[in-house]
Amino acid sequence: MKKIFVVLGFVLISITGLVAQQQNALPVDPKVKYGKLDNGLTYYIRHNELPKERAEFFIAQNVGSILENDDQNGLAHFLEHMAFNGSKNFPGNSLISYLESIGVKFGVNLNAATGWDNTVYNISDVPVIREGIVDSCLLVLHDWSGALSLDDKEIDKERGVIREEMRMFGGADFRIMDKILPQILPNNQYSKRNIIGTEQIILNFKPQVLRDYYQKWYRPDLQAIIIVGDIDVDQVESKIKTMFADIPKPVNPAKRIYYQVEDNDEPLVGIVTDKEATSLNIAIDYKHKAMPAEERGTAMGWAVNYFNSAAASMLNDRLREIAQKKTTPFVQAYGYNGDFANTTTEESWSINAVVKENNVKDAFQTITREMERIDKFGFTASEYERARTNILTMYESAFKERDKTRNISYAQEYVRHFTKGEAIPGIEMEYNIITNMAPQIPVEAINQYIQQMIDEKNIVITMTAPEKEGVVVPSKDQLLAWFKEAKAENIQAYEDKVSDEPLMKELPKGGTIKNESKDAVFGTTNYTLSNGVKVVIKPTTFKDDEILMSATSPGGSSHFPESESVNAKLYASVADLGGLGSFSKTDLKKTLAGKKVLVNPTMNLTTEGFSGFSSPKDFETMLQLVYLNFTAPRMDEEAYQSLIGRTKSQLESQEASPYMALIDTMNKVTYKDTVRNNRLRTADLEKVNYQTIMNWRKDRYKDASDFTFVFVGNINPDSAKLLITKYLGALPSINRKESFVPVNVDFNKGIIKNDFNKSMENLKATVLDTYWGMMNYNMADKVKLDMLQQILTIVYTEKMREDEGGVYTIGVDGNIENYPKGRASIQVSFETDPAKKDMLVALSHKEFKAIALDGPRAEDFQKVKEYLLKNQQEQEQENAYWNGVITNYYRNGYNGYTDYVKTVNSMKPEDIKATAKALLDQNNFIEVIMTGVK
């Protein structure tokens, strides 16, 4: 790392005086109140008003599972769970109960995460409408810091929950990680800790062992309090100083060790196979020591991030270009600089590939070759110009949005400052640095840096693969031989083919505005153009550098014959595969470098259209892309063949997952007509026809007269008129009158149950219960169903997780569809021990019926009501919300905004009871249970 610093220091000092004091820490953003109490507790406080009357409360702990003793493996994570199960000021379940009573939802706004080296707790989107709420949230952080109850009974109850979390996430990915770490981190502490621990320890540890870890490591010198939001900074600082002063400064504290990763002269190789692995992956890591926290926050550290970002951008563009070739040996490939194997003290430049199962050698040597190509020749000036331009555009957008940054973004940034040493000088200084520094850094400096990183030592090669017939897994020696063979090839420099051709050679003549009106309901300006196109514009001030676009037209894939359903399933992947006009997809990306713009064709069963976004300055480019999508879609046979090959490999690999059998069974028992709803299989690819798909695409977009375009964001309707008439007014129009074609997507009626066994490595039962019935597609019924769904989540979490310890999480998803007619469904899903399956299924049914019979508990009803009102207030400050609401109105005639708050406030517990009863009384219930067996 010192050698890298010498290289960088020489480069940077020679080109800019801005980083002359490169080893000095960049200043902390003056808008952050940043300090430390006498007991060592660090705090960050910032006033911010997005969303208004909301705040984030975080506590970051610079400790994690890496610090556990052998008899404590998994207890750092167990302790995280216990933080929600009783503390000095919030006994039992009162912490969750109180926060949910003010609209802070457990698992959504209230959560935590444990890593090897840190543990972070958060209370998010808190409605700070009363001083008492701020005090209570600070008190929660206080208790998390050092006043957890860790009651024996609560610990014993939580053992089952952790065991079910192990069961839920103990699949192929977990097993692979558990086996690969000892091979690439031999005898290292990081390979001895897997965060969640072992079943033996979790089910049998003595409660005092958990308390020992807590008392040893949860202490103020290793903790940071972070509060960001619509709060009084000075007042909150005063409260912190008062409230947290009673936490004693540690006396003779245990040393916080940061475990180092050993160097290796010869490449380390790790190979793991698993029967349920759903992909074959190969990676090459070029390790290097992580930048120390005290250097990461300096100008030098900030510059290193720029070098890494630019290099990763250029490498990934090359890999995407390879992926478009018919002969590509991988499904996808990507490279980046990041933490090596999730360690804190070691980083690596890594290149990864998801490999076609019969192309292991070719794929491995392809990514080896690309790293060697960089090592020998570096990147070209034109590649770097695009990468630099894109990075500058990203910072320019962030600078423009500096007053529109959400609370959560700042909170997470300050967590990284505390745990990793990331600089937090504020976007104003960052933008000043990047705009002065980046233009002065030549491609030669980037190449010199990345070539230092691609060293001959500290190389690690890993391969993970399905364990099945037909997949030949090379030995470690074979991988090393292939690696050396590729490195020894006569590799040629990369040739960057760049076109200076404009996106559109000839601009259209355009049309005119036939009609203009205002819509007071949504605050929109509406235009009808001479070709029939309707345009709806809602100006907002939520984001300064964002315009969202959606466009819809009735029809969709319902117009595709049922015999061609396979083509319909691949439509989204194929439709824009070839690029536009004279530009391939790869060339189009190069042409759009530096622009914040995207346009994608979309299609569902009943509509086709587009989604997209742009900055205000790139609005014209977005309209040009729309015009080209209508008039000049391009076919690319080689890219298509590449897609089919990559899709085939993905489909073959996913068959190893037991969940494919669950999906197939669920589709079979749910739908009367399963052809359109069946998942895509490998054999189906033989039926796909590229020309047919593109003919359909042409048909769907040959008439713009029934399209409605919605634009939401920083857009002035009057200023946009000229561009809208120029491009959208010129779209082809034949005044075709059409709608969607009736298609059979009915559910099977009655009580249907399918309980089957499936061979799997990690034994568990997966339950999917669907209650469904006919229901009106209107606001009142949608709100009732939403409330029922969330009330059920609260009840099931209490009864099945907390009381029985039988599940880690329960999914409850409610939905109302308007096609073919109003239909509502609630699906309850969970995974559990096969031995507990019958008991929990019966409990699930019992609690649903209890709500239908007696209605919800008043406190649960109120919690959900508060959450919906809070969530609505936040959503109304987002462009995406308005884009969705307005689009849905013009697509389906449904107004999801007006009277929403009034409707929620009008709800009574009896309404939820009636909704649950209505679903049960229709006697439509589908239950699919997959039970694992060896």
Side-chain angles (χ1 to χ4, degrees):
M1 201 67 198
K2 290 181 179 178
K3 181 168 64 174
I4 300 300
F5 279 179
V6 169
V7 171
L8 275 174
F10 176 78
V11 169
L12 294 174
I13 291 172
S14 66
I15 61 176
T16 173
L18 191 65
V19 290
Q21 294 181 323
Q22 54 191 287
Q23 298 301 328
N24 292 344
L26 293 172
V28 171
D29 187 342
K31 295 178 181 177
V32 183
K33 179 79 75 168
Y34 172 60
K36 186 175 288 191
L37 303 185
D38 292 340
N39 60 11
L41 181 77
T42 303
Y43 61 83
Y44 305 74
I45 313 168
R46 180 180 185 129
H47 179 83
N48 192 60
E49 296 185 10
L50 191 63
K52 291 183 70 64
E53 296 186 334
R54 299 288 183 269
E56 302 285 319
F57 294 81
F58 275 65
I59 181 169
Q61 319 265 355
N62 259 332
V63 294
S65 65
I66 200 70
L67 297 171
E68 298 163 342
N69 299 330
D70 288 343
D71 65 341
Q72 296 174 327
N73 189 15
L75 297 197
H77 170 255
F78 199 109
L79 181 61
E80 171 218 306
H81 278 239
M82 293 307 300
F84 302 95
N85 287 283
S87 65
K88 177 182 177 181
N89 294 289
F90 296 90
N93 192 48
S94 62
L95 185 152
I96 294 175
S97 183
Y98 165 70
L99 290 171
E100 288 197 328
S101 74
I102 59 172
V104 177
K105 190 174 182 180
F106 181 53
V108 177
N109 310 130
L110 177 63
N111 219 325
T114 304
W116 271 277
D117 281 288
N118 56 71
T119 308
V120 180
Y121 300 82
N122 68 287
I123 316 171
S124 295
D125 280 337
V126 178
V128 285
I129 53 178
R130 300 188 301 274
E131 185 177 349
I133 291 177
V134 175
D135 292 342
S136 295
C137 289
L138 288 174
L139 197 58
V140 172
L141 299 185
H142 169 275
D143 282 9
W144 281 344
S145 172
L148 297 185
S149 301
L150 301 181
D151 176 78
D152 286 13
K153 291 182 180 179
E154 291 293 337
I155 289 173
D156 287 340
K157 285 173 62 177
E158 201 66 20
R159 295 180 197 269
V161 176
I162 302 287
R163 177 62 189 91
E164 293 311 313
E165 185 176 2
M166 288 179 170
R167 195 186 309 276
M168 185 173 186
F169 296 110
D173 290 343
F174 178 83
R175 293 191 297 271
I176 286 170
M177 178 65 75
D178 209 37
K179 293 175 182 177
I180 203 83
L181 288 179
Q183 298 182 52
I184 63 176
L185 291 164
N187 300 313
N188 190 278
Q189 185 75 357
Y190 282 101
S191 67
K192 300 175 183 177
R193 300 289 178 262
N194 65 3
I195 297 180
I196 202 167
T198 66
E199 183 174 350
Q200 174 65 24
I201 290 178
I202 294 303
L203 297 183
N204 298 288
F205 72 87
K206 302 294 184 184
Q208 188 57 44
V209 179
L210 179 65
R211 297 182 191 115
D212 289 343
Y213 177 89
Y214 181 53
Q215 291 161 7
K216 182 177 182 179
W217 295 117
Y218 271 47
R219 59 192 207 220
D221 60 312
L222 297 174
Q223 296 173 332
I225 301 297
I226 298 155
I227 297 98
V228 179
D230 197 356
I231 44 92
D232 183 315
V233 171
D234 293 335
Q235 185 183 63
V236 169
E237 181 184 35
S238 177
K239 290 176 183 291
I240 288 174
K241 289 180 177 179
T242 301
M243 188 178 296
F244 288 83
D246 68 345
I247 301 174
K249 182 177 181 179
V251 179
N252 298 320
K255 183 179 180 181
R256 177 33 168 121
I257 300 171
Y258 286 88
Y259 291 90
Q260 300 298 313
V261 175
E262 297 79 7
D263 291 339
N264 54 284
D265 290 338
E266 296 299 320
L268 291 173
V269 181
I271 300 176
V272 174
T273 62
D274 192 277
K275 291 179 181 179
E276 295 174 1
T278 56
S279 63
L280 196 160
N281 303 274
I282 287 181
I284 308 171
D285 286 277
Y286 300 84
K287 297 190 306 177
H288 58 88
K289 296 302 175 189
M291 186 178 294
E294 61 271 17
E295 294 175 354
R296 197 181 295 270
T298 65
M300 173 66 76
W302 204 88
V304 167
N305 288 338
Y306 169 76
F307 277 60
N308 283 327
S309 296
S313 175
M314 293 183 281
L315 171 59
N316 287 319
D317 280 348
R318 289 187 182 185
L319 294 174
R320 277 189 288 267
E321 190 171 328
I322 294 172
Q324 293 294 305
K325 298 183 184 299
K326 179 180 179 180
T327 56
T328 183
F330 49 71
V331 176
Q332 63 173 329
Y334 53 94
Y336 63 96
N337 183 80
D339 295 339
F340 173 68
N342 293 318
T343 64
T344 294
T345 57
E346 193 84 355
E347 293 183 356
S348 67
W349 252 97
S350 176
I351 185 167
N352 304 261
V354 180
V355 181
K356 294 179 180 178
E357 291 180 357
N358 58 345
N359 289 83
V360 176
K361 179 180 179 181
D362 194 5
F364 178 52
Q365 291 195 324
T366 296
I367 62 174
T368 302
R369 234 175 259 125
E370 289 312 305
M371 296 307 285
E372 283 298 299
R373 200 183 316 278
I374 294 170
D375 194 28
K376 292 179 184 298
F377 304 104
F379 297 105
T380 67
S382 55
E383 286 179 290
Y384 176 53
E385 181 58 32
R386 288 194 301 273
R388 176 167 53 192
T389 301
N390 285 333
I391 292 173
L392 287 170
T393 297
M394 179 185 70
Y395 275 95
E396 179 186 20
S397 182
F399 179 72
K400 289 179 178 178
E401 303 287 10
R402 62 191 180 279
D403 296 325
K404 306 296 173 63
T405 303
R406 294 185 66 86
N407 297 333
I408 187 67
S409 296
Y410 285 125
Q412 291 171 340
E413 186 179 0
Y414 304 151
V415 168
R416 294 193 299 272
H417 178 266
F418 181 70
T419 60
K420 302 274 286 185
E422 178 181 308
I424 52 169
I427 187 59
E428 292 87 354
M429 176 171 279
E430 290 183 14
Y431 184 60
N432 182 47
I433 292 174
I434 195 74
T435 53
N436 282 278
M437 180 184 72
Q440 298 185 64
I441 296 177
V443 67
E444 290 80 9
I446 302 292
N447 290 338
Q448 191 174 5
Y449 167 74
I450 193 66
Q451 287 161 351
Q452 288 286 337
M453 288 298 200
I454 307 172
D455 205 348
E456 294 299 318
K457 296 182 179 181
N458 287 314
I459 294 172
V460 178
I461 299 168
T462 55
M463 176 177 174
T464 63
E467 191 177 305
K468 69 178 185 180
E469 185 179 351
V471 176
V472 179
V473 179
S475 66
K476 293 184 179 182
D477 288 342
Q478 187 67 71
L479 276 178
L480 285 173
W482 290 347
F483 184 63
K484 293 175 182 177
E485 182 182 296
K487 284 170 65 68
E489 290 179 10
N490 181 25
I491 296 172
Q492 302 299 308
Y494 173 79
E495 182 181 352
D496 186 26
K497 297 177 181 178
V498 184
S499 171
D500 58 0
E501 183 179 325
L503 187 60
M504 293 182 63
K505 294 179 182 178
E506 296 182 10
L507 300 182
K509 294 180 180 179
T512 59
I513 293 176
K514 191 167 62 174
N515 183 54
E516 179 177 341
S517 63
K518 301 286 186 180
D519 184 340
V521 175
F522 297 118
T524 61
T525 298
N526 300 355
Y527 299 137
T528 300
L529 307 185
S530 51
N531 58 354
V533 170
K534 297 177 181 61
V535 179
V536 181
I537 301 175
K538 180 175 177 62
T540 71
T541 58
F542 306 135
K543 291 283 187 181
D544 291 329
D545 203 40
E546 179 179 85
I547 300 173
L548 300 184
M549 178 198 73
S550 65
T552 58
S553 163
S557 62
S558 67
H559 282 261
F560 300 167
E562 187 174 307
S563 60
E564 300 289 350
S565 62
V566 172
N567 283 322
K569 290 170 188 173
L570 268 182
Y571 177 89
S573 300
V574 172
D576 66 341
L577 191 63
L580 297 170
S582 58
F583 296 95
S584 69
K585 197 163 186 176
T586 298
D587 293 338
L588 188 62
K589 187 176 186 299
K590 293 178 180 180
T591 298
L592 297 175
K595 295 182 181 294
K596 183 180 176 181
V597 63
L598 180 71
V599 172
N600 282 326
T602 61
M603 182 173 293
N604 58 29
L605 184 63
T606 60
T607 65
E608 65 271 345
F610 297 96
S611 64
F613 64 81
S614 78
S615 64
K617 73 175 183 179
D618 296 319
F619 180 63
E620 181 172 9
T621 300
M622 179 165 65
L623 296 181
Q624 289 179 338
L625 290 171
V626 169
Y627 181 83
L628 290 173
N629 265 284
F630 270 93
T631 62
R634 182 180 180 276
M635 292 183 68
D636 187 328
E637 185 64 33
E638 184 173 16
Y640 169 73
Q641 292 298 332
S642 171
L643 173 72
I644 293 298
R646 289 181 283 121
T647 303
K648 180 181 179 182
S649 181
Q650 287 177 302
L651 294 175
E652 290 172 344
S653 296
Q654 76 180 18
E655 293 298 333
S657 171
Y659 289 103
M660 294 302 105
L662 185 68
I663 292 171
D664 290 341
T665 303
M666 194 66 194
N667 283 338
K668 182 178 180 180
V669 302
T670 301
Y671 295 100
K672 288 182 177 180
D673 170 24
T674 59
V675 176
R676 289 180 182 270
N677 296 290
N678 283 344
R679 66 184 175 89
L680 194 67
R681 296 174 183 271
T682 306
D684 293 332
L685 297 179
E686 297 177 2
K687 307 172 188 175
V688 179
N689 186 290
Y690 189 18
Q691 187 63 59
T692 297
I693 292 176
M694 295 306 289
N695 287 344
W696 286 349
R697 187 192 194 286
K698 183 178 179 181
D699 176 71
R700 291 296 84 209
Y701 296 113
K702 69 182 181 183
D703 180 23
S705 65
D706 60 357
F707 269 79
T708 299
F709 285 82
V710 177
F711 298 99
V712 176
N714 186 11
I715 177 173
N716 183 300
D718 292 331
S719 302
K721 276 183 182 179
L722 181 62
L723 293 175
I724 286 171
T725 53
K726 183 176 184 179
Y727 295 105
L728 301 188
L731 295 178
S733 174
I734 58 175
N735 293 310
R736 176 174 58 181
K737 303 300 179 185
E738 65 174 9
S739 183
F740 53 81
V741 176
V743 174
N744 183 10
V745 289
D746 289 341
F747 285 1
N748 285 314
K749 292 184 177 181
I751 308 297
I752 302 170
K753 295 186 178 182
N754 190 312
D755 191 337
F756 69 97
N757 294 336
K758 177 66 177 175
S759 175
M760 62 179 69
E761 296 298 300
N762 181 37
L763 297 185
K764 58 185 172 183
T766 303
V767 179
L768 296 176
D769 282 350
T770 305
Y771 303 82
W772 75 272
M774 308 317 291
M775 188 174 290
N776 295 324
Y777 186 80
N778 58 41
M779 180 176 289
D781 283 340
K782 284 172 73 68
V783 169
K784 292 172 190 175
L785 193 74
D786 196 5
M787 295 189 78
L788 174 59
Q789 164 199 329
Q790 297 194 43
I791 287 168
L792 283 168
T793 301
I794 293 172
V795 172
Y796 288 151
T797 299
E798 176 189 327
K799 303 292 185 179
M800 297 167 66
R801 172 180 160 135
E802 301 303 330
D803 291 350
E804 296 294 338
V807 299
Y808 171 63
T809 187
I810 306 98
V812 185
D813 298 304
N815 184 43
I816 294 187
E817 303 169 283
N818 66 337
Y819 178 84
K821 46 191 171 181
R823 180 176 66 199
S825 63
I826 283 196
Q827 185 176 85
V828 181
S829 60
F830 60 90
E831 293 182 333
T832 188
D833 183 345
K836 294 184 176 182
K837 171 190 67 176
D838 293 340
M839 180 271 290
L840 290 172
V841 167
L843 181 57
S844 169
H845 296 174
K846 175 186 173 183
E847 295 301 331
F848 196 108
K849 291 175 182 176
I851 292 176
L853 183 64
D854 303 319
R857 295 176 298 195
E859 60 270 26
D860 294 344
F861 176 83
Q862 192 60 35
K863 288 175 183 178
V864 170
K865 185 175 179 180
E866 290 294 329
Y867 175 76
L868 290 180
L869 293 173
K870 177 181 78 81
N871 192 53
Q872 178 69 11
Q873 187 178 6
E874 293 167 12
Q875 285 189 321
E876 289 179 16
Q877 299 177 51
E878 296 286 343
N879 288 331
Y881 166 80
W882 288 105
N883 184 259
V885 164
I886 296 169
T887 298
N888 196 21
Y889 176 74
Y890 285 96
R891 176 190 292 167
N892 299 312
Y894 173 73
N895 179 352
Y897 162 67
T898 305
D899 293 333
Y900 179 85
V901 171
K902 180 180 177 181
T903 302
V904 172
N905 280 322
S906 71
M907 290 294 150
K908 302 290 188 294
E910 292 76 17
D911 296 318
I912 312 307
K913 171 184 173 181
T915 299
K917 187 175 185 301
L919 282 176
L920 286 181
D921 286 351
Q922 294 184 57
N923 290 315
N924 293 317
F925 175 72
I926 299 169
E927 182 171 82
V928 175
I929 303 176
M930 179 177 71
T931 304
V933 294
K934 286 292 185 181

